[in-house]
Amino acid sequence: MRQMKQSLTTAAAILLALPALAQDDSGRAETMAADRQPTDLFADDTITGEEGHEVYGAVCAGCHMPDGQGAVGAGNYPALAGNPNLEFASYPIYIIVNGQGNMPPLGPVMSDEQVVAVTEYIQTSFGNDYEPDATIEAVQTARPADPDATTGEH
Amino acid sequence: MTGISRRHLLQLIGTAAGSTAMYHAMTAMGHAQGSTYSGPIQLDGDPQGAKVLVLGAGLAGLTAALELRAAGYEVEVLEFREKAGGRCWTLRSGDTYTELGGDTQTVDFAEGNYLNPGPWRIPHHHHAVLDYCRRLGVQLEPFMQKNYNSYLHRSDAFGGKPQRLKEIATDHRGHTSELLAKAVDQGKLDDMISADDKEALLESLKTVGVLNDNYGYVESLDTSYYRGYEKGPGGGMTAQAIPSTPIDLSTILDSKLWTWLATHETLNHQMTMFQPVGGMDAIAEGFAREVGDLITYNAKVTSLQQDDSGVTVTWEDTANGGQRTSTADWCVCTIPFSVLGQIEHNLSGELSSVIDTMFYNGSVKWGLEFNRRFWEEDEHIYGGISYTDLPITQISYPSNGYLSPGPAVLLGGYTWRGANSFEFNAMSPAERIEVALEYGARIHPQYRDEFKTGVTVSWHKVPWTLGCSGIWQNKERDYEQAVAIDRRVVCAGEHLSDLPAWQEGAILSSLDAISRLHDKVLNG
């Protein structure tokens, strides 16, 4: 296990050192990579970043985008920038843990502390200026009794 | 069979003798296992010019369009994409793909090389997919699921050195057979087995486990005949084979490489598996040849409304601009719930609650093109899949073009849900490819020298689905009301089947939906 963690860290370090990536997408990848610590990548079944921006960059940015603007296709991923639903932490905490609509529950891959950190991050980033009010207790309350099970590949 | 169709015969048997006889007859005809498909659908009776609007031109929508038109309906299909197929999709040389967030990849593969970002293999018992391939003239070739010469790999086993499947599988089976045979032989299981069975069991374990007369699994030419030799049999002066040494049980168990020994054995992964020649979208193109004239592409549905007189769908023409309206008597809606939940509609509360609570699975795939087939030339791996505990989870070698010179594309990774899929999804395509190369090089050191180009698809970033496949919050509770006809609308797709994320599920769902719809149109 220790050997694996070391090798994963090496891979991430190589990734971060790549100059080509820094030029990708008008500097966006550079921003993301710089925000991310090597150990944020690929713990076994959970996200390992501790800081809110690390957790956001490792997971949430995939759909809500690095700038929190969301995305539009046949359907939408809602913007978090300027999103009034983030004013009180209990709402985003519930959705992060349990999912909503097409958004999968992220409770199974995040610790209580990570949910708190990322909730406060989105409350105070992308121009949002809400009072960060997430608590461990609120996360624990939001967690379902029966955690999500995974299914086999196709 | 002459004079009477198989379907008609089965109906006769079913009526006359009850379901048990029906089952045995179906088994005899080879149709009862796996998929429930039992031959082309028969929609008898005159719909008297009724019009059906089909939303979505994936396999569910295409199936509905083909069969409903054949049954006499007027059919109109609206599709968000610029072509048919939906998740039945292939990326090949010259294609461009823009994922959500705006990153565009231009596929730079050599002519004939491709990646199937979605479905990529067809089980031999997915009768509906196979039958449509037959009817649509889609040429299939074997998909190599199980290759005994492929690798099993864990970073913390055998110093990170990949092991051949044939060695791990043979040794695991041999050692477990030895243990069981010795326990039985020594009478330790006498209270669990009769004397007759004991003898037969010992004989079977010797045969299956390749044990010697003392029930030992040992180094020998016999065991090497299965696991491979130290030096293989040859000809002339150097003909004599030299046996290899089995890996001991403790090492096998400790390595956890047995994790993947049953992976190829599930009903959906047993050989024979198939793939369409040239890419999975050959199926989509086959359908499009038949019903392409019914499809309006670049149509983004924004509203689905129904009342006593019909169905009205409002859509945006994303190619030419402007808002359009289509009307019909009935609607088959195959739009994934991940998208349908964001469209204005007046579906029932029961159906809406299912739509709004179905989240979508993430999955990530890579197509990596290398300058030469080093896996064949250096490692004698012809098709099949190597499994690893690295985040890429697997590498699949092309099941076509064996031994040919020039660039070839392998599947550089395939994740299915979980933390890794989320993390890959949050990366740019360039980052994703870089990480896949880094991990893949641990299994194939040739990666860095031979890499030419790559393309990667993360399903949460696919604009027309926002995910790979639907996941139910409570399928047992919600399934019936989700598949039921909602006044004039019936939903269909992989998400409304017991074969989720398989093309077979999409087609079976569609056939079932249009059967019920047809019955309602005719009989109210």
Side-chain angles (χ1 to χ4, degrees), chain A residues 4-21:
Chain A
M4 181 181 169
K5 282 252 194 282
Q6 276 173 352
S7 55
L8 296 182
T9 304
T10 308
I14 290 166
L15 166 66
L16 296 181
L18 270 183
L21 293 176

Side-chain angles (χ1 to χ4, degrees), chain B residues 88 90 92 136 138-139 276-287 289:
Chain B
C88 172
T90 300
R92 52 174 67 78
L136 297 169
V138 177
Q139 196 187 343
V277 173
M280 189 58 79
D281 67 355
I283 299 178
E285 287 168 1
F287 273 108
R289 280 194 296 274

Side-chain angles (χ1 to χ4, degrees), chain B residues 49-319:
Chain B
K51 182 182 173 184
V52 180
L53 192 52
V54 177
L55 303 181
L59 289 199
L62 291 166
T63 300
L66 187 149
E67 301 295 357
L68 288 172
R69 175 157 76 177
Y73 288 88
E74 181 189 350
V75 178
E76 178 182 356
V77 184
L78 297 176
E79 167 54 41
F80 176 81
R81 297 183 68 198
E82 74 289 357
K83 60 181 172 183
R87 282 162 275 184
C88 172
W89 177 32
T90 300
L91 283 169
R92 52 174 67 78
S93 188
D95 288 346
T96 61
Y97 165 57
T98 301
E99 63 180 32
L100 290 176
D103 284 322
T104 296
Q105 301 174 77
T106 299
V107 185
D108 192 27
F109 292 156
E111 189 69 30
N113 288 343
Y114 64 85
L115 167 71
N116 291 323
W120 60 314
R121 49 190 169 184
I122 303 170
H124 64 272
H125 56 84
H126 281 194
H127 306 302
V129 175
L130 294 179
D131 196 35
Y132 278 100
C133 286
R134 193 181 288 121
R135 289 164 62 188
L136 297 169
V138 177
Q139 196 187 343
L140 301 180
E141 62 191 358
F143 172 93
M144 202 65 70
Q145 166 69 35
K146 183 169 189 176
N147 177 347
Y148 291 84
N149 214 34
S150 66
Y151 292 129
L152 300 177
H153 170 263
R154 289 183 68 97
S155 309
D156 57 0
F158 298 97
K161 185 174 178 291
Q163 303 295 302
R164 302 282 186 177
L165 170 61
K166 61 174 179 259
E167 297 177 5
I168 301 299
T170 306
D171 292 351
H172 183 271
R173 187 179 57 212
H175 288 306
T176 52
S177 296
E178 175 182 325
L179 279 179
L180 180 53
K182 286 180 173 171
V184 168
D185 186 48
Q186 292 164 16
K188 290 177 178 169
L189 301 179
D190 280 354
D191 56 341
M192 297 170 68
I193 191 166
S194 72
D196 284 350
D197 284 350
K198 183 172 168 177
E199 198 173 320
L201 176 58
L202 285 170
E203 200 51 39
S204 74
L205 290 170
K206 265 180 79 173
T207 303
V208 174
V210 198
L211 308 183
N212 64 18
D213 288 341
N214 303 317
Y215 305 119
Y217 178 73
V218 299
E219 176 179 321
S220 67
L221 288 175
D222 288 338
T223 56
S224 292
Y225 191 58
Y226 292 83
R227 73 182 307 284
Y229 301 86
E230 178 69 29
K231 172 186 155 306
M237 291 291 282
T238 61
Q240 182 63 45
I242 300 174
S244 62
T245 308
I247 302 163
D248 68 89
L249 176 63
S250 180
T251 303
I252 295 275
L253 294 176
D254 201 39
S255 76
K256 291 195 166 60
L257 295 184
W258 43 261
T259 307
W260 296 287
L261 289 183
T263 300
H264 308 283
E265 313 297 329
T266 76
L267 189 57
N268 278 327
H269 298 93
Q270 289 169 10
M271 295 292 279
T272 301
M273 299 197 81
F274 291 106
Q275 64 181 12
V277 173
M280 189 58 79
D281 67 355
I283 299 178
E285 287 168 1
F287 273 108
R289 280 194 296 274
E290 297 293 322
V291 298
D293 58 312
L294 304 178
I295 307 172
T296 302
Y297 296 105
N298 303 301
K300 178 178 177 173
V301 172
T302 55
S303 171
L304 164 59
Q305 304 295 323
Q306 58 175 335
D307 58 29
D308 291 343
S309 61
V311 179
T312 302
V313 167
T314 308
W315 50 279
E316 187 188 327
D317 181 342
T318 59

